[in-house]
């Protein structure tokens, strides 16, 4: 079990096991981390030079989104994660936008297939997943527009 985890381009999802332990899925590895999923996101915002609150304010400024913010973890590599629910909920999962191959609805929620063909089931409706995916895609587009504007 790890005490900390650094999100990277291979990270596909962070799924809570309980209030203070999460499972992190990468393309080739899986880790159990002694932190909540939300705490892993918060710590990585700081690791990459911001705060969770600052990232939320940036998302709000760029997109107008007011809740369930997708988060830019690291902007130069477009590492963007979106939550499956409210961040006030410790059962919140975080999903990497860039590593999604496709998704489908099933009886219990949605199954996401990632680029490595790993499938993970999430307790989220198809409508909510599509909405969160759209919001994260909009954030990525605004971020890329700003990068291109600076050139």
């Amino acid at each position: 079990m790890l005490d900390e985890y650094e999100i990277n381009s291979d990270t596909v999802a962070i799924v809570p096991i309980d209030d203070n332990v999460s499972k992190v899925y990468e393309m080739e590895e899986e880790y159990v981390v002694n932190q909540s999923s939300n705490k892993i996101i918060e710590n990585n915002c700081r690791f990459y030079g911001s705060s969770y609150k600052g990232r939320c304010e940036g998302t709000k400024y760029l997109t107008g989104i007011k809740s369930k913010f997708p988060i830019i973890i690291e902007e130069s590599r477009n590492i963007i994660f979106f939550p499956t629910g409210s961040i006030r909920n410790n059962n919140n999962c975080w999903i990497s936008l860039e590593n999604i191959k496709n998704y489908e609805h099933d009886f219990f929620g949605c199954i996401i297939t990632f680029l490595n063909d790993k499938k993970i089931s999430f307790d989220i409706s198809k409508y909510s997943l599509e909405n969160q995916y759209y919001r994260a895609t909009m954030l990525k587009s605004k971020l890329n527009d700003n990068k291109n504007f600076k050139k």
Side-chain angles (χ1 to χ4, degrees):
M1 183 178 299
L2 302 174
D3 288 330
E4 293 185 8
Y5 176 78
E6 181 183 327
I7 294 172
N8 59 72
S9 298
D10 284 342
T11 309
V12 299
I14 303 167
V15 178
I17 294 173
D18 65 30
D19 284 353
N20 297 305
V21 179
S22 301
K23 188 167 197 175
V24 177
Y25 294 89
E26 287 188 350
M27 289 294 195
E28 303 295 328
E29 302 287 333
E30 296 177 8
Y31 301 98
V32 175
V33 181
N34 198 21
Q35 292 181 356
S36 70
S37 58
N38 293 337
K39 186 57 103 173
I40 292 170
I41 293 293
E42 289 172 16
N43 288 344
N44 274 272
C45 288
R46 278 193 299 278
F47 179 81
Y48 287 110
S50 187
S51 67
Y52 177 77
K53 184 178 178 183
R55 294 293 192 192
C56 289
E57 288 173 2
T59 296
K60 187 175 180 179
Y61 174 79
L62 289 172
T63 64
I65 295 169
K66 294 179 175 53
S67 65
K68 295 189 201 176
F69 300 101
I71 296 295
I72 301 165
I73 300 292
E74 205 283 323
E75 57 235 29
S76 69
R77 293 181 284 161
N78 279 341
I79 299 176
I80 297 172
F81 276 71
F82 62 86
T84 58
S86 169
I87 60 119
R88 285 172 260 178
N89 184 343
N90 281 337
N91 290 329
N92 185 44
C93 301
W94 288 88
I95 301 168
S96 167
L97 174 66
E98 290 298 303
N99 290 318
I100 294 175
K101 184 175 186 179
N102 60 44
Y103 55 86
E104 59 191 292
H105 177 70
D106 76 351
F107 183 74
F108 300 104
C110 285
I111 298 172
I112 297 177
T113 304
F114 293 95
L115 295 176
N116 61 352
D117 290 322
K118 177 155 189 70
K119 295 178 185 233
I120 302 174
S121 181
F122 293 92
D123 183 15
I124 185 173
S125 71
K126 185 177 180 184
Y127 170 80
S128 291
L129 178 63
E130 287 175 343
N131 190 48
Q132 289 302 95
Y133 183 85
Y134 166 75
R135 291 168 153 210
T137 302
M138 182 171 57
L139 176 60
K140 178 184 172 187
S141 176
K142 297 283 186 176
L143 182 64
N144 287 336
D145 287 350
N146 287 353
K147 286 179 188 176
N148 291 332
F149 181 74
K150 290 179 183 177
K151 288 182 181 179

